Amino acid sequence: MSFPGLLGMDSAAQSYQHRPLLIKLWPPSQSTRLMLVERMTKNLTNPSIFSRKYGLLSKDEAEEDAKQIEDIAFAAATQHFEKEPDGDGSSAVQIYAKESSKLMLEVLKRGPRVKEDGELISEKGSATSKTFFDISGGPRAFIDGEEAAELLKPLRGPNSVTKICFSNRSFGLDAARVAEPILISIKDQLKEVDLSDFIAGRPEAEALEVIAIFSSALEGCDLRFLNLSNNALGEKGVRAFRSLLKSQNNLEELYLMNDGISEEAAKAVSELIPSTEKLRVLRFHNNMTGDEGAIAISEIVTRSLALEDFQCSSTRVGSDGGVALAEALGACTHLKTLDLRDNMFGEEAGVALSKVIPKFADLTEIYLSYLNLEDDGAEALANALKESAPALEILDMAGNDITAKAVPSLAACISSKQFLTRVNLSENELKDEGAILIGKALEGGHGRLNELDLSTNLITWSGARLLAEAVVQKPGFKFLNLNSNFISDEGINELKNIFKNSPDMLGPLDDNDPEGGDIDEEAGEDSDHDELESKLKGLEI
C-alpha cells in the first residue's frame, strides 16, 4: 500500500517509472473497474498483519466494501480529471489508486462489522482490548504534545498491554517527548510494536529525532513482532532505530515495506539486527534495494533458519541480487510463502531459484510474476516445483514472457498439484497450444481450484473453450479470467453459454480483440487499459 514518505523516494516513484504516453488513461473501462474490485476483495479477505489484530472480513462483506471503495475512488479521480481535460489521465490514475489504498486501510482497521446472524461485533474483544492499545483509527493526521498526552493516557499507570499500534498518526517532537516516558514504563511487557507510518510529513531532521526518541525508549524490550513500514526510512532512518534494533534477539515477524530501503539501508538492517534465529516472517516490498541491497538482505535470510514467509517484491533486484537471494533461501527449509514479484531476475536467477525449490517441502504459496523469467527460467522452476511442494496452493507466474515452449513443464507441474486454489499465468504468450495443455492438466482432480487467470495470452476460441470446460464443473471454482485475448464474438457467446448456470464465474471479456490483429496500429484504447492495469498492479496491502 502506498503512502508518501519524507526520508526516501516517494513510494509512487518507487513502484514504476513514467513512460511516454500517447493516449489518455482516463476513464478506465468497466472491465478494469471490475478487476480492481476483484483485486481489492482478495486483499481484504487475505490474512494479514491487520486481520491478526482486527479480524478477517468475510468474502461477502469484503466484496461490498470493495465496490463502495471503487465507487468513491472513481468519483474522486474523475472529478480531478475533469479539472485538467487536456492531461493524459496519469494523475487521475494515481488518485484512483491512492484513494483505493487509503480506504482499504480504513476498512481493514475497522474489521468485520457483522456476524452471519446479523449481531454486531465489537472491533476488539474484551480480552484483546486489555492487551492491545491502538491509536491508528480515524483519519491520518499530525498530533501534537497535548493530543498525544490525551491519546496515551490509558497507558499511564498499571496495565496489561502487550501490543501497541501508533500507526497512521504523525508524531512531532512534542508528541514524541510525551510518549517517551510512557513507553519506557511499559517496554518490559511489550511483545508487539507497530510504528508504521508514524512520522509522515515531518521534516527530515525532526523525523530522525522522533525515531531516535522512540528507539531509545523501547531499547531492551523483548519483541516478537515489529512493523516499521511506510516511513521512507532510508539508511538514516534505519540507523536512527539502532537502539531498538540492536536489542532484539527474539523477533519472529519484521516488516520493512515501502521504507526506501536502499543498498546502504539494507546493509544497515543486516548489521543492526543481532539475531534472526526465530524470525518466521520477513517482509520487504516497494523499496529501492537493488542488487547490492539484495545481497545484504540475503545475509539476513541465510541466518533466518526458521523463516516461513519471505517477501522481497518490487525492490529493483536484478540477476545478481536474485541469484544471491535464491542461494540464501536454500537455508530456509521451513518456507511456506515466497513472494519475489516485480523484480528483474531474468533466466539466470530463475534457474538459481529452481535449484533450492526442492528444499521447500512445506511451500504453499509462490509468487513469481514479472521477473523476466522467460521460457528457460519458467521451465526450470516448473520442473523443480513438480518434484516438490506437494501442498502448493497458489502458483503465480504472470508477466514473464512465457511461450508455449515452456507449457509442457508448467502443465506437468500443475497436474501434479492437487491442492491448487489459484493459478495465475496472465500476460504471457501461451496461445492456444499452451491454453489447451493447461486445460488438460486441470481436467482431473483439482477440486480446490477457485481461480484461473490466463488473460492476455493470445488465446482464441479453441483454447478458451477447453479452459472453460475444464473448470466450469469444479465444485469450489469462482473465477476464470480470459480477458484481453483473441476470442471471436461467436466464441464469447459460447463461453457465456458454458457458464450460463454460473455467470459470475466468467470474468469480463470486453477488452478482448476478436480480430486478433496488430494492436500497434490502433494502440489507443487497448494500450490505454494495458497502461492503466500496469499502474494498478501494486495496489495491495
Side-chain angles (χ1 to χ4, degrees):
M1 184 177 293
S2 296
F3 296 97
L6 274 249
L7 305 183
M9 180 175 290
D10 184 272
S11 60
Q14 291 183 42
S15 354
Y16 68 91
Q17 295 180 340
H18 288 291
R19 291 179 288 182
L21 299 174
L22 302 177
I23 37 75
K24 288 188 176 181
L25 299 175
W26 198 263
S29 68
Q30 184 62 24
S31 69
T32 297
R33 295 183 65 185
L34 290 172
M35 202 66 71
L36 181 61
V37 170
E38 177 72 16
R39 194 170 293 151
M40 287 193 293
T41 301
K42 292 174 189 173
N43 283 332
L44 291 170
T45 53
N46 282 342
S48 67
I49 58 176
F50 297 102
S51 64
R52 291 175 70 248
K53 299 176 181 179
Y54 305 106
L56 191 63
L57 274 67
S58 69
K59 173 70 183 301
D60 291 341
E61 185 177 2
E63 190 169 20
E64 179 184 346
D65 284 321
K67 288 176 181 177
Q68 292 177 357
I69 289 170
E70 195 281 331
D71 283 341
I72 295 170
F74 179 79
T78 298
Q79 184 178 18
H80 171 85
F81 181 68
E82 288 172 351
K83 294 177 182 177
E84 49 171 30
D86 294 330
D88 63 13
S90 180
S91 59
V93 172
Q94 291 181 11
I95 288 173
Y96 188 47
K98 287 181 179 179
E99 189 70 14
S100 298
S101 291
K102 182 187 77 173
L103 294 172
M104 275 199 295
L105 180 59
E106 291 178 5
V107 167
L108 285 164
K109 289 183 175 179
R110 180 207 69 206
R113 287 176 297 194
V114 295
K115 290 181 180 177
E116 292 182 1
D117 60 5
E119 179 185 347
L120 289 175
I121 300 177
S122 63
E123 290 191 5
K124 307 176 185 68
S126 57
T128 304
S129 63
K130 292 178 181 179
T131 61
F132 181 34
F133 180 77
D134 183 7
I135 62 171
S136 66
R140 191 164 176 257
F142 286 78
I143 60 172
D144 56 22
E146 184 177 347
E147 185 179 1
E150 184 63 28
L151 280 172
L152 304 182
K153 188 182 295 184
L155 293 178
R156 296 183 184 274
N159 63 74
S160 55
V161 169
T162 60
K163 310 176 190 178
I164 58 171
C165 178
F166 286 5
S167 180
N168 207 42
R169 300 297 180 95
S170 179
F171 282 76
L173 279 175
D174 289 346
R177 288 175 180 135
V178 169
E180 183 177 18
I182 296 173
L183 292 174
I184 291 173
S185 71
I186 64 170
K187 69 177 180 181
D188 289 342
Q189 65 198 51
L190 291 178
K191 297 300 178 186
E192 299 190 12
V193 168
D194 186 341
L195 296 178
S196 60
D197 191 27
F198 86 120
I199 51 168
R202 303 291 179 179
E204 178 174 322
E206 181 182 19
L208 290 171
E209 193 170 348
V210 168
I211 291 174
I213 289 172
F214 273 77
S215 176
S216 177
L218 291 168
E219 181 181 6
C221 58
D222 186 19
L223 298 181
R224 303 292 181 269
F225 172 101
L226 179 60
N227 187 359
L228 303 178
S229 301
N230 300 314
N231 287 311
L233 297 172
E235 182 189 9
K236 291 180 182 178
V238 170
R239 293 198 180 279
F241 270 118
R242 177 185 181 87
S243 298
L244 173 59
L245 293 174
K246 288 286 284 184
S247 63
Q248 299 310 304
N249 290 294
N250 294 304
L251 273 180
E252 295 178 9
E253 300 184 42
L254 176 62
Y255 298 81
L256 291 165
M257 300 181 288
N258 193 29
D259 264 334
I261 302 294
S262 61
E263 170 190 339
E264 294 77 13
K267 289 178 179 177
V269 174
S270 178
E271 169 194 328
L272 292 175
I273 298 180
S275 174
T276 56
E277 291 180 3
K278 297 182 179 179
L279 200 64
R280 295 183 298 102
V281 179
L282 179 59
R283 296 273 184 95
F284 292 87
H285 170 70
N286 198 29
N287 286 302
M288 305 179 298
T289 310
D291 281 342
E292 293 300 319
I295 291 170
I297 292 172
S298 70
E299 294 174 3
I300 302 174
V301 171
T302 302
R303 303 193 301 265
S304 305
L305 302 183
L307 199 63
E308 297 177 3
D309 182 332
F310 178 62
Q311 179 181 24
C312 191
S313 54
S314 300
T315 47
R316 304 184 180 185
V317 178
S319 180
D320 291 345
V323 170
L325 284 173
E327 292 174 350
L329 285 166
C332 307
T333 57
H334 300 288
L335 205 65
K336 296 179 180 179
T337 300
L338 177 61
D339 185 349
L340 300 171
R341 285 176 282 191
D342 190 21
N343 284 298
M344 299 295 291
F345 276 27
E347 295 179 16
E348 184 180 355
V351 171
L353 183 61
S354 72
K355 294 178 181 178
V356 300
I357 288 284
K359 299 183 180 182
F360 309 148
D362 299 325
L363 193 68
T364 58
E365 301 180 20
I366 188 163
Y367 302 91
L368 303 173
S369 54
Y370 308 102
L371 291 177
N372 281 0
L373 294 174
E374 300 186 357
D375 286 336
D376 287 348
E379 281 185 296
L381 285 161
N383 290 333
L385 285 166
K386 178 190 173 187
E387 302 301 328
S388 56
L392 192 68
E393 297 176 7
I394 296 176
L395 174 62
D396 181 353
M397 296 180 71
N400 277 302
D401 296 322
I402 304 171
T403 73
K405 174 180 178 292
V407 173
S409 295
L410 281 170
C413 171
I414 290 170
S415 180
S416 69
K417 300 290 176 273
Q418 293 302 309
F419 296 100
L420 283 173
T421 60
R422 192 195 319 168
V423 176
N424 183 5
L425 296 171
S426 63
E427 297 189 50
N428 285 300
E429 299 176 17
L430 304 190
K431 299 185 178 180
D432 286 340
E433 179 184 349
I436 290 169
L437 286 175
I438 297 297
K440 288 182 177 178
L442 292 170
E443 283 178 349
H446 297 92
R448 300 188 183 187
L449 188 71
N450 59 51
E451 182 180 336
L452 177 64
D453 190 343
L454 269 82
S455 58
T456 319
N457 262 295
L458 312 178
I459 297 170
T460 71
W461 160 235
S462 60
R465 177 182 60 81
L466 200 142
L467 287 167
E469 291 174 345
V471 301
V472 67
Q473 298 299 330
K474 293 190 182 299
F477 195 77
K478 296 179 181 177
F479 191 72
L480 173 64
N481 186 4
L482 292 174
N483 209 5
S484 300
N485 279 303
F486 294 160
I487 307 169
S488 65
D489 290 337
E490 181 181 352
I492 288 176
N493 290 333
E494 290 294 334
L495 277 176
K496 291 178 179 178
N497 186 54
I498 291 173
F499 286 93
K500 63 184 178 182
N501 295 325
S502 48
D504 291 343
M505 285 186 186
L506 183 62
L509 292 162
D510 47 341
D511 282 345
N512 184 67
D513 178 8
E515 302 299 325
D518 184 0
I519 63 171
D520 290 337
E521 295 180 1
E522 43 185 74
E525 195 168 337
D526 285 344
S527 296
D528 176 356
H529 300 314
D530 288 345
E531 181 71 17
L532 178 55
E533 279 292 298
S534 73
K535 288 176 180 285
L536 295 175
K537 277 192 178 78
L539 184 60
E540 58 179 291
I541 303 300

